[in-house]
Amino acid sequence: MKIIILNYGAGNIKSIQFAFQRLGYNVVLSNNPDDILSADKVIFPGVGEASSAMAKLKQSGLDTLIPQLKQPVLGICLGMQLMCNHSEEGDTKGLGILNVNVKRFSNVVKVPQMGWNTIHNLKSEIFKGIKEDDYMYLVHSYYAENCSEAIATTNYELEYASALENDNFFGVQFHPEKSGKVGERLLKNFIEL
């Protein structure tokens, strides 16, 4: 099993790498198109600011490569947001893989949302063995709107899409690599898709 973590300079790659190692899987960090195209599974991480992360994707040509991938792809946090149509953060045009826009939480709530929150309305094989209202760890100021591609929602100020799916593309707003046993289960489910 060849698992690639996209290494484009905007990810908390080490914690994701360690999470897979704890599950017994070796992962390769790469931005090489041949490596990525031949992978069984691709992880698309992201931390930081949307427009600068998108600029890094463009520098490496990954902005055109990622939408063409046929194997299962898991976008995490900013990685998921970059797969959407548009983000209010830096007025950033996304990859358009997930047909939804990313908005900023209002100042009615503490921004960023930071800590544990529940996921519900679970609708995908990726949540096998995970229960309604299980907790995941989140750190984000922007959210994907609730939409038809939502496979999980979370409530913080409003109900938003905390996980999305379109064909072979999956996105999670939470950090499975920091979400204990439940997060580990999600990563294992993704690998077994």
Side-chain angles (χ1 to χ4, degrees), residues 68-83:
Q68 297 171 31
L69 296 177
K70 301 293 179 228
Q71 66 273 67
V73 177
L74 177 64
I76 298 175
C77 196
L78 182 59
M80 179 196 92
Q81 293 183 1
L82 293 174
M83 292 196 299

Side-chain angles (χ1 to χ4, degrees), residues 22 27 34 44 51 78 83 87 100 137 144 147 151 167 184:
R22 285 193 299 273
V27 291
D34 294 332
F44 179 13
S51 61
L78 182 59
M83 292 196 299
S87 175
V100 61
Y137 187 79
C147 63
I151 53 169
D167 295 330
E184 270 187 11

Side-chain angles (χ1 to χ4, degrees), residues 10 14 18 28 38 44 52-53 56-57 71 76 87 90 93 134 139 147 170 175 180 190:
K14 283 291 173 209
F18 294 144
V28 178
S38 66
F44 179 13
S52 55
K56 288 177 179 166
L57 284 180
Q71 66 273 67
I76 298 175
S87 175
K93 185 178 186 303
D134 268 346
V139 182
C147 63
F170 297 82
H175 286 275
F190 175 72

Side-chain angles (χ1 to χ4, degrees), residues 53-97:
M54 185 56 79
K56 288 177 179 166
L57 284 180
K58 287 179 176 168
Q59 283 164 11
S60 58
L62 292 177
D63 62 316
T64 54
L65 180 70
I66 293 167
Q68 297 171 31
L69 296 177
K70 301 293 179 228
Q71 66 273 67
V73 177
L74 177 64
I76 298 175
C77 196
L78 182 59
M80 179 196 92
Q81 293 183 1
L82 293 174
M83 292 196 299
C84 298
N85 288 331
H86 179 268
S87 175
E88 286 185 350
E89 186 175 27
D91 190 20
T92 305
K93 185 178 186 303
L95 299 176
I97 296 164

Side-chain angles (χ1 to χ4, degrees), residues 124-142:
S124 170
E125 275 299 291
I126 204 167
F127 292 113
K128 193 172 66 186
I130 295 171
K131 299 187 297 295
E132 289 284 325
D133 298 322
D134 268 346
Y135 281 86
M136 293 290 195
Y137 187 79
L138 297 122
V139 182
H140 63 120
S141 302
Y142 294 79

